């Protein structure tokens, strides 16, 4: 085919395709997916796949996305990390050490889960540095949350669950003249939600049923450094652990689900497209060869095709997973899905090839001495290409679904971030039971959307390339 | 070629396929089971050793005793025989429905594979056949309706629903259904195992309640695609001459559609019905797992998770058998409903 012809047929195809609105929508979605997949390291961060298996300690666990606040009567605190430049600005050096002053504007009905001071590293040759945290509340009360807490090495101080903080809070409440049932005091010491008290209105209900006190809170963190020792703030963070997080919330390991979904698109697209292309090409060559050879070879090839078709594929895939040691690597999934994917297409390709075979130019080519390979590759397969393109698009959703299903069953590649894997984790953690909808719905919608994208493109291609169907 | 000969050829063909599939399965399973069995033997021998220790009867030479016990179990599990001997042994047993027993009980105390299959198959049929009947009814009604008014809003909406729904993973939809109707609203139980304390009417209501969510999931995900296919078939049939003739004769429209067009469109529809019923018999492994529905799919999953080789073998064999039987029945039904096809199909054999 000459280049000019190719260009002409391409533009002709495009003018036909343009009229398919659903096809255009599919194309748009496809570009969107490709963009997301390619830009994943830029949109999120390039180290997501390596970090995915570990716990994301800085993030809250199992919290919904921030935008739920719009739909619920109760606003929940989002996640806030103060680190790097922003933190350095708040640090002042004093004679005996450092002071960090952090302001937090609480405008939420549910305050942060925890306040974490993290990764301050102390060099202790002289003596251990110590930390004191005082909060000044909007009602002008000052509470010392923790006093002279000594540390060395890297410090992780969780104020929300620290026993000393709870003690100090109870002491403060008593000193304000609020009665605490001595019988229940121990229970409060072990179980109370300290941040709700810190951010709560000072009244009788502050322990049992705290009401939020909105306004600006000023946290003063005093760090005393004895002579000979030093403290480094290079990696330090102050985290107000949110009750909500980002666009899609977090899972039980505190992982940002949005990042997972974005990275999952890569695996889905790569597996879907490669499986579809390989299995359709194999199917078409198989079917055409079978039809062209005819006779015993045809018989044999069709028996083999029937044999493949009658093997239940998912169980065998699962079994293969067990055989490969419980997990199937991504390339193995591609190969396995392709092995089971060509079967149906071969049958249709054969029946189409049987018609093409009877055409005179095939006979002419044979008489002129063209070899079997040449006739199959040059004369017959190109005739089937339009059908092949539509089929490729239409078999992508199946491949995406199969990969997701395998991963969901826990047989997928554990080192890859995939949608199936996310859903698997959700199922194991009982996300449905606990009502963590943000963990279950988005990955499934993403799978469905990829499927829809290719179905839209596939049916549009089908209509353009197989004009027989246009009337439908 | 006559109908009888066609049937014989078809049956023979299916038998050959069945034999080959079983042989390949046996070869594969024997390999998978090998490592598993070796581990089991070591565990068993260790357990025996410990119980002897507790009774104070430690054998004089523990290593020799161990080797002797291991050899004994190896003989019992036929691990001392060569690979191909074991393959043909499994192969023969499977072909004669002699699947043996599982290592651990499945469904209460049942260890016999055939008995487990007998328990699981009716449950799967109960669930999927109910769903399939609803899907087919809905599919035919909606599909015919859409074919009657091609290009209308209804037709387009149906196409969109069919496209969207066929891209949704059924098990994911099941999870969502559970999330909403079972855990959020509490309307339906989340587990499918019926309450053993209920009898009579209460028992039936209990089972129906437990069936609702899985059936609804299957129906919602699948009916769109069905309706769409039926619509396409019907559009093709409605353009045929005999429909025009029937209309010209003054046959009422309802009768034209349901009496003439649908009957002509029956062969592919019947094939589809049979094939999808068969596909459902294998039990959608993951769907049943999501709802803990104790059918074939769930058993399959349990078997794979706990490495019950005998059970996997039995399930796979029954699945393949059912599939092949279904293909033959579908072929015969096609030939029976549309005499033109039979000749064409048999010529190809």
């Amino acid at each position: 085919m000459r280049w000019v012809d190719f260009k002409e047929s391409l533009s002709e195809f495009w003018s036909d395709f343009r009229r398919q609105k659903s096809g255009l929508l599919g194309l748009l979605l496809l570009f969107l997916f490709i963009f997301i997949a390619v830009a994943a390291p830029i949109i999120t961060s390039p180290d997501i796949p390596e970090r995915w298996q570990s716990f994301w300690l800085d993030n809250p666990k199992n919290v919904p996305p921030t935008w739920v606040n719009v739909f619920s009567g109760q606003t929940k605190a989002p996640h806030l990390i103060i680190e790097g430049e922003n933190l350095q600005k708040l640090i002042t050096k004093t004679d005996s050490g450092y002071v960090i002053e952090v302001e937090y504007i609480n405008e939420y009905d549910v305050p942060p889960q925890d306040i974490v001071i993290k990764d301050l590293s102390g060099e202790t040759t002289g003596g251990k540095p110590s930390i004191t945290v005082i909060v000044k509340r909007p009602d002008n009360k000052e509470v010392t949350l923790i006093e002279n807490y000594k540390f060395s090495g890297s410090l992780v101080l969780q104020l929300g669950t620290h026993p000393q903080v709870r003690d100090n809070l109870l002491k403060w409440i008593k000193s304000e003249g609020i009665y605490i049932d001595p019988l229940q005091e121990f229970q409060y010491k072990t179980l109370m939600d300290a941040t709700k008290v810190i951010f709560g209105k000072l009244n009788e209900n502050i322990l049992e049923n705290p009401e939020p006190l909105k306004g600006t809170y000023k946290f003063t963190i005093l760090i005393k450094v004895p002579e000979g020792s030093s403290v480094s703030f290079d990696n330090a963070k102050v985290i107000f652990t949110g009750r909500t997080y980002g666009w899609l919330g977090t899972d039980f390991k505190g992982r940002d689900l949005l990042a997972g979904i974005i990275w999952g698109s890569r695996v889905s697209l790569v597996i879907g497209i490669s499986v579809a292309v390989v299995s359709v090409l194999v199917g078409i060559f198989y079917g055409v060869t079978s039809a062209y050879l005819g006779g015993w070879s045809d018989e044999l090839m069709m028996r083999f095709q029937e044999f493949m078709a009658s093997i239940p594929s998912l169980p065998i895939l699962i079994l293969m997973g067990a055989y490969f040691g419980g997990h199937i690597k991504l390339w193995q999934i591609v190969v396995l899905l392709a092995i089971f994917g060509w079967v149906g297409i071969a049958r249709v390709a054969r029946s189409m090839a049987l018609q093409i075979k009877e055409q005179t130019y095939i006979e002419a080519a044979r008489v002129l001495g063209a070899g079997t390979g040449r006739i199959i590759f040059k004369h017959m397969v190109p005739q089937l290409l339009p059908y092949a393109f539509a089929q490729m698009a239409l078999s992508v959703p199946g491949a995406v679904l199969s990969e997701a299903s395998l991963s969901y069953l826990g047989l997928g590649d554990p080192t890859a971030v995939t949608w199936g894997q996310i859903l698997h984790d959700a199922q194991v953690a009982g996300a449905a039971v606990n009502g963590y909808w943000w963990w279950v719905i988005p990955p499934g919608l993403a799978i469905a959307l990829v499927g829809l994208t290719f179905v839209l493109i596939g049916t549009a291609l089908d209509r353009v390339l197989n004009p027989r169907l246009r009337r439908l | 070629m006559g109908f009888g000969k066609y049937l014989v050829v078809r049956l023979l063909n299916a038998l050959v396929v069945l034999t080959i599939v079983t042989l390949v399965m046996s070869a594969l399973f024997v390999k998978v089971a090998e490592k598993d069995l070796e581990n089991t033997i070591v565990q068993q021998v260790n357990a025996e050793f410990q119980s002897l220790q507790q009774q104070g009867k430690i054998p004089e030479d523990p290593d020799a005793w161990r080797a002797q016990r291991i050899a004994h179990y190896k003989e019992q599990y036929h691990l001392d025989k060569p690979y191909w001997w074991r393959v043909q042994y499994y192969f023969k047993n499977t072909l004669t429905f002699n699947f043996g027993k599982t290592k651990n009980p499945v469904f209460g105390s049942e260890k016999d594979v055939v008995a487990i299959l007998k328990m699981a198959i009716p449950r799967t049929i109960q669930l999927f056949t109910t769903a399939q009947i609803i899907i087919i009814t809905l599919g035919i009604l909606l599909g015919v309706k859409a074919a009657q008014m091609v290009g209308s809003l209804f037709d387009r909406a149906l196409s969109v629903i069919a496209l969207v729904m066929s891209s949704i993973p059924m098990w994911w939809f099941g999870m969502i259904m559970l999330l909403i109707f079972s855990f959020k609203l509490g309307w339906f139980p989340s587990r499918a195992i019926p309450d053993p304390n209920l009898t009579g009417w209460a028992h039936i209501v209990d089972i129906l309640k437990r069936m609702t969510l899985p059936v609804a999931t299957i129906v919602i995900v699948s009916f769109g695609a069905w309706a769409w296919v039926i619509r396409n078939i019907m559009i093709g049939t409605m353009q045929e001459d005999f429909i025009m003739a029937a209309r010209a004769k003054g046959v009422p429209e309802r009768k034209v559609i349901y009496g003439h067009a649908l009957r002509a469109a029956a062969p592919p529809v019947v094939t589809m019905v049979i094939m999808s019923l068969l596909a459902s018999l294998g039990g959608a492994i993951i769907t049943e797992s999501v709802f803990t529905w104790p059918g074939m799919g769930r058993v399959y999953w349990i078997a794979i998770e706990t490495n019950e080789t005998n059970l996997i073998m039995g399930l796979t064999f029954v699945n393949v058998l059912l599939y092949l039987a279904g293909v033959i029945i579908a072929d015969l039904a096609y030939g029976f409903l549309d005499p033109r096809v039979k000749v064409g199909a048999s010529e190809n054999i």
Side-chain angles (χ1 to χ4, degrees):
Chain A
M1 199 186 255
R2 282 176 309 155
W3 174 241
V4 191
D5 292 342
F6 179 71
K7 229 165 80 177
E8 201 167 295
S9 67
L10 199 70
S11 72
E12 197 180 316
F13 162 76
W14 176 241
S15 73
D16 272 345
F17 191 84
R18 249 185 2 202
R19 263 176 261 140
Q20 304 287 336
K21 273 190 214 132
S22 60
L24 286 182
L25 177 66
L27 218 53
L28 188 77
L29 284 170
L30 180 64
F31 283 130
L32 187 73
F33 269 116
I34 291 176
F35 171 75
I36 290 175
V38 171
I42 302 162
I43 305 174
T44 60
S45 77
D47 60 345
I48 301 281
E50 290 100 71
R51 280 171 64 204
W52 194 251
Q53 291 315 312
S54 57
F55 279 84
W56 293 24
L57 296 169
D58 293 352
N59 286 2
K61 319 283 177 269
N62 292 328
V63 294
T66 301
W67 50 262
V68 291
N69 285 338
V70 179
F71 299 101
S72 86
Q74 223 187 16
T75 52
K76 293 174 172 176
H79 195 64
L80 179 71
I81 298 184
I82 304 170
E83 61 182 335
E85 287 266 303
N86 292 332
L87 187 69
Q88 305 302 332
K89 274 189 268 174
L90 305 172
I91 303 173
T92 41
K93 194 163 171 24
T94 62
D95 295 343
S96 56
Y98 300 88
V99 177
I100 309 174
E101 285 189 319
V102 181
E103 272 188 18
Y104 183 80
I105 301 165
N106 180 39
E107 50 199 5
Y108 316 103
D109 299 322
V110 188
Q113 270 180 9
D114 203 348
I115 303 162
V116 187
I117 300 165
K118 205 171 167 250
D119 297 342
L120 280 173
S121 45
E123 263 305 313
T124 55
T125 36
K128 284 185 179 176
S130 68
I131 188 166
T132 301
V133 182
I134 301 162
V135 59
K136 190 164 181 224
R137 294 157 38 101
D139 54 4
N140 277 326
K141 308 270 185 217
E142 257 193 28
V143 190
T144 306
L145 296 174
I146 200 160
E147 208 169 6
N148 286 329
Y149 177 76
K150 290 204 166 57
F151 67 96
S152 60
S154 192
L155 167 84
V156 178
L157 183 61
Q158 292 177 296
L159 294 176
T161 47
H162 202 279
Q164 203 191 329
V165 175
R166 288 180 175 158
D167 269 350
N168 285 340
L169 282 170
L170 288 174
K171 250 185 249 166
W172 167 65
I173 291 167
K174 272 194 238 170
S175 73
E176 292 289 337
I178 290 166
Y179 173 74
I180 300 173
D181 187 351
L183 290 173
Q184 290 201 330
E185 200 172 321
F186 179 71
Q187 204 190 336
Y188 290 138
K189 257 184 208 170
T190 48
L191 290 172
M192 82 175 179
D193 194 338
T195 54
K196 281 195 176 165
V197 177
I198 296 171
F199 293 102
K201 273 184 191 152
L202 185 64
N203 55 27
E204 294 80 45
N205 291 333
I206 190 163
L207 284 171
E208 278 300 317
N209 204 356
E211 289 168 51
L213 174 69
K214 296 180 183 178
T216 307
Y217 289 74
K218 213 164 160 185
F219 291 86
T220 311
I221 304 165
L222 299 164
I223 296 147
K224 261 190 223 159
V225 187
E227 230 161 290
S229 299
S230 68
V231 171
S232 151
F233 293 97
D234 292 344
N235 300 316
K237 294 170 190 161
V238 176
I239 304 166
F240 290 88
T241 313
R243 305 254 177 195
T244 61
Y245 184 93
W247 286 99
L248 286 179
T250 61
D251 65 7
F252 72 126
K253 284 181 171 174
R255 297 181 289 200
D256 181 2
L257 287 169
L258 179 67
I261 300 239
I262 288 175
W263 278 86
S265 66
R266 294 189 149 198
V267 177
S268 259
L269 284 186
V270 168
I271 289 205
I273 294 173
S274 49
V275 169
V277 169
V278 172
S279 57
V280 167
L281 285 183
V282 171
I284 286 200
F285 278 111
Y286 193 93
V288 170
T289 311
S290 175
Y292 180 74
L293 292 177
W296 269 106
S297 334
D298 179 35
E299 190 72 16
L300 213 64
M301 284 175 87
M302 277 303 111
R303 283 301 88 78
F304 180 68
Q305 188 269 348
E306 251 166 55
F307 159 73
M308 288 300 290
S310 57
I311 295 179
S313 58
L314 187 61
I316 294 296
L317 283 175
I318 293 170
L319 198 80
M320 293 279 190
Y323 191 62
F324 285 132
H327 297 292
I328 318 178
K329 295 213 178 61
L330 287 180
W331 68 267
Q332 289 167 332
I333 290 190
V334 171
V335 171
L336 288 175
L337 290 180
I339 286 176
F340 289 102
W342 61 270
V343 180
I345 292 153
R347 188 111 226 172
V348 184
R350 175 174 172 272
S351 68
M352 291 168 100
L354 280 176
Q355 288 174 351
I356 297 171
K357 189 184 157 191
E358 300 305 319
Q359 279 167 15
T360 40
Y361 72 90
I362 301 284
E363 212 155 325
R366 204 172 350 181
V367 171
L368 284 170
T372 309
R374 190 180 167 82
I375 292 178
I376 290 174
F377 275 87
K378 280 227 97 147
H379 297 295
M380 292 179 79
V381 169
Q383 299 273 314
L384 286 174
L385 277 185
Y387 165 75
F389 282 126
Q391 272 309 308
M392 279 177 195
L394 288 174
S395 31
V396 170
V400 172
L401 269 185
S402 305
E403 187 278 324
S405 304
L406 282 175
S407 298
Y408 173 76
L409 288 174
L411 294 165
D413 192 337
T415 56
V417 188
T418 79
W419 297 333
Q421 207 85 28
I422 294 175
L423 282 167
H424 170 69
D425 290 342
Q427 181 71 3
V428 170
V433 185
N434 293 312
Y436 302 150
W437 52 266
W438 58 90
W439 192 358
V440 181
I441 294 176
L445 280 185
I447 295 171
L449 204 61
V450 167
L452 180 67
T453 304
F454 284 96
V455 170
L456 285 175
I457 295 174
T459 45
L461 277 178
D462 216 22
R463 258 175 263 163
V464 172
L465 299 169
N466 304 324
R468 213 162 37 84
L469 296 168
R470 234 178 250 178
R471 64 200 160 95
L472 296 182
Chain B
M1 205 187 274
F3 195 72
K5 202 177 168 195
Y6 170 63
L7 183 66
V8 171
V9 172
R10 211 70 197 78
L11 274 175
L12 278 178
N13 186 21
L15 274 180
V16 171
V17 172
L18 182 69
T19 317
I20 299 174
V21 172
T22 316
L23 191 64
V24 172
M25 291 290 205
S26 311
L28 219 97
F29 282 121
V30 164
K31 199 91 198 130
V32 173
E34 198 174 79
K35 224 185 269 168
D36 183 51
L37 277 178
E38 270 165 12
N39 288 339
T40 320
I41 290 175
V42 171
Q43 276 172 11
Q44 257 172 341
V45 172
N46 279 346
E48 267 183 37
F49 188 77
Q50 268 178 2
S51 77
L52 279 182
Q53 243 177 348
Q54 275 165 3
Q55 292 165 16
K57 289 189 257 176
I58 303 171
E60 285 161 32
D61 184 356
D63 285 338
W65 176 85
R66 218 176 261 268
Q68 186 251 320
R69 290 309 292 168
I70 288 177
H72 165 77
Y73 279 117
K74 275 204 166 169
E75 200 194 332
Q76 201 181 342
Y77 291 129
H78 308 294
L79 275 181
D80 54 339
K81 305 270 196 332
Y83 175 66
W84 280 108
W85 187 91
R86 277 178 290 147
V87 171
Q88 64 88 26
Y89 175 79
Y90 259 100
F91 174 66
K92 259 195 270 171
N93 276 348
T94 308
L95 278 186
T96 49
F97 288 91
N98 194 358
F99 304 127
K101 285 185 189 319
T102 59
K103 286 173 285 177
N104 298 307
V106 180
F107 292 154
S109 59
E110 197 53 70
K111 274 190 162 184
D112 185 39
V113 172
V114 175
I116 295 172
L117 286 175
K118 274 185 188 154
M119 258 197 274
I121 294 176
R123 289 181 184 151
T124 295
I125 292 179
Q126 179 196 350
L127 179 66
F128 280 89
T129 310
T130 315
Q132 212 64 50
I133 289 170
I134 300 174
I135 290 169
I136 292 162
T137 320
L138 262 180
I140 289 180
L141 287 177
L142 294 176
V144 167
K145 193 111 199 141
Q148 266 179 299
M149 20 192 214
V150 181
S152 69
L153 189 68
F154 174 78
D155 181 32
R156 283 177 195 196
L158 191 73
S159 302
V160 171
I161 290 175
L163 289 184
V164 174
M165 282 304 177
S166 56
S167 331
I168 287 181
M170 193 189 276
W171 41 272
W172 173 75
F173 199 76
M175 281 170 91
I176 302 289
M177 294 288 269
L178 275 180
L179 188 85
I180 298 172
F181 294 106
S182 187
F183 298 118
K184 265 259 143 67
L185 300 172
W187 291 355
F188 299 101
S190 64
R191 296 180 65 82
I193 319 278
D195 191 338
N197 301 324
L198 299 172
T199 48
W201 184 240
H203 176 66
I204 294 172
V205 171
D206 186 50
I207 285 184
L208 284 180
K209 255 189 155 179
R210 283 165 206 278
M211 269 177 74
T212 312
L213 279 188
V215 167
T217 304
I218 302 167
V219 169
I220 293 174
V221 173
S222 323
F223 84 89
W226 257 90
W228 200 63
V229 172
I230 289 185
R231 163 196 180 267
N232 288 353
I233 296 174
M234 281 302 279
I235 290 176
T237 334
M238 298 276 265
Q239 287 171 347
E240 305 253 352
D241 292 339
F242 70 92
I243 298 288
M244 205 91 83
R247 280 196 181 132
K249 266 198 300 190
V251 177
E253 189 65 21
R254 264 185 80 83
K255 210 163 172 202
V256 170
I257 287 163
Y258 289 97
H260 292 65
L262 201 57
R263 184 184 287 175
V269 174
V270 169
T271 316
M272 268 170 64
V273 171
I274 294 173
M275 294 316 280
S276 61
L277 273 177
L278 276 171
S280 64
L281 261 190
I285 292 186
I286 318 183
T287 309
E288 282 193 3
S289 289
V290 168
F291 290 104
T292 57
W293 186 265
M296 291 268 277
R298 176 93 185 124
V299 175
Y300 222 130
W301 180 229
I302 295 175
I304 285 162
E305 270 194 320
T306 52
N307 260 327
E308 297 286 5
T309 324
N310 290 344
L311 189 53
I312 301 177
M313 198 72 195
L315 282 163
T316 314
F317 182 72
V318 170
N319 264 345
V320 176
L321 198 67
L322 286 171
Y323 178 86
L324 290 173
V327 174
I328 293 176
I329 294 171
D331 263 11
L332 292 183
Y334 213 117
F336 185 72
L337 290 165
D338 189 350
R340 286 170 302 174
V341 176
K342 191 172 68 190
V343 180
S346 50
E347 266 176 356
N348 274 339
I349 285 177

